Each structure stands twice: as structure tokens, then as C-alpha cells.
Amino acid sequence: MILINVLGLLLIALIIWWFWLYKPGDSSVSVTNVSEANISGGDIVITVENGIYQPSRLKVSAGQPTTLTFLRKDASPCAATVIFPDSELSEELPLNKAKAVVLPPMPPGEHPFTCQMQMYRGTLVVN
Ligand SMILES: [Cu+2]
């Protein structure tokens, strides 16, 4: 009886660890400096790999169309779509092939972009 309780507690601890504490490829840890890029140069390529967009924070200019170039290296189908909710836009990203996504002009502010299940997350900083 006690053994079963202990096993149950261990299982609960494992589940808590798995879902709340273990974060593979958490972008907030290592990429703070290189993850922010200014897109106005036009030649930034956003790599889709290991659960993060790299860079994941992009500065773009307000009031003009923006072209983002994505390069998907993650073969999982979830990474295949990038969604820009504020622009009501979604694009398919081919594997290992650069894909340019043209965004309409956006109002100033922070506009997120994600994959289908929101595991990949990025932010457009428009100003
Ligand atoms: Cu996803």
C-alpha cells in the first residue's frame, strides 16, 4: 500500500517536472543577444529549428510592407506553418528552402507570430 502511494507521488512529481519545469530549447535562456534583429536591412533569415525562431524578435518599420525570409530546418509538420494572427496571415514553409513572406503594413506595437500549435513563438516589434 505504501509502495503504491510512493510510486504515485513519484509519478506526479515526474509529470509536474515534465510539463512545467522541463523546457526544451527555451529561447529565453541563451539567445537574448542574437535573437533581436533589425529587419530593415532586408537580408535577415529566420531559421526555424529546435523549437525556436532564430532570431525570434524582429524590429520592423511601421506603415510599410515587410518581407521576412524563413528557413525551416525542423521536419515536424507543426513547424511547417507560420501564422501572423494580427495580419490574419498564414504561410507554409518548405523544408530546407528559404521562403519569403510578405506582410502588409502593421501598426506600431508588438505583433506575435507562431507555428500552428504555438510552440514556435516570435515577435515583430513595429515602430
Ligand atoms: Cu508547432
Side-chain angles (χ1 to χ4, degrees):
M1 204 53 188
I2 287 172
L3 182 67
I4 290 170
N5 286 339
V6 169
L7 282 177
L9 282 176
L10 277 176
L11 196 65
I12 289 165
L14 186 72
I15 289 168
I16 287 172
W17 175 78
W18 182 259
F19 283 101
W20 280 282
L21 304 178
Y22 177 68
K23 289 180 181 162
D26 188 343
S27 64
S28 64
V29 179
S30 57
V31 292
T32 30
N33 278 331
V34 283
S35 67
E36 190 162 309
N38 198 324
I39 203 71
S40 57
D43 48 14
I44 301 280
V45 176
I46 303 158
T47 309
V48 185
E49 196 178 17
N50 298 328
I52 53 170
Y53 293 122
Q54 177 67 26
S56 61
R57 236 179 128 77
L58 300 154
K59 289 180 182 169
V60 304
S61 304
Q64 60 187 60
T66 304
T67 302
L68 302 178
T69 305
F70 285 88
L71 179 59
R72 172 164 77 100
K73 294 181 176 175
D74 182 345
S76 78
C78 181
T81 310
V82 61
I83 299 169
F84 299 87
D86 293 355
S87 301
E88 295 182 342
L89 196 83
S90 81
E91 289 281 347
E92 296 300 312
L93 304 176
L95 189 58
N96 293 320
K97 200 163 162 261
K99 160 91 184 207
V101 176
V102 181
L103 296 168
M106 285 168 286
E110 301 210 346
H111 303 275
F113 59 99
T114 67
C115 71
Q116 234 165 354
M117 296 175 76
Q118 304 188 3
M119 294 179 309
Y120 283 88
R121 288 166 179 274
T123 308
L124 296 171
V125 182
V126 181
N127 51 34

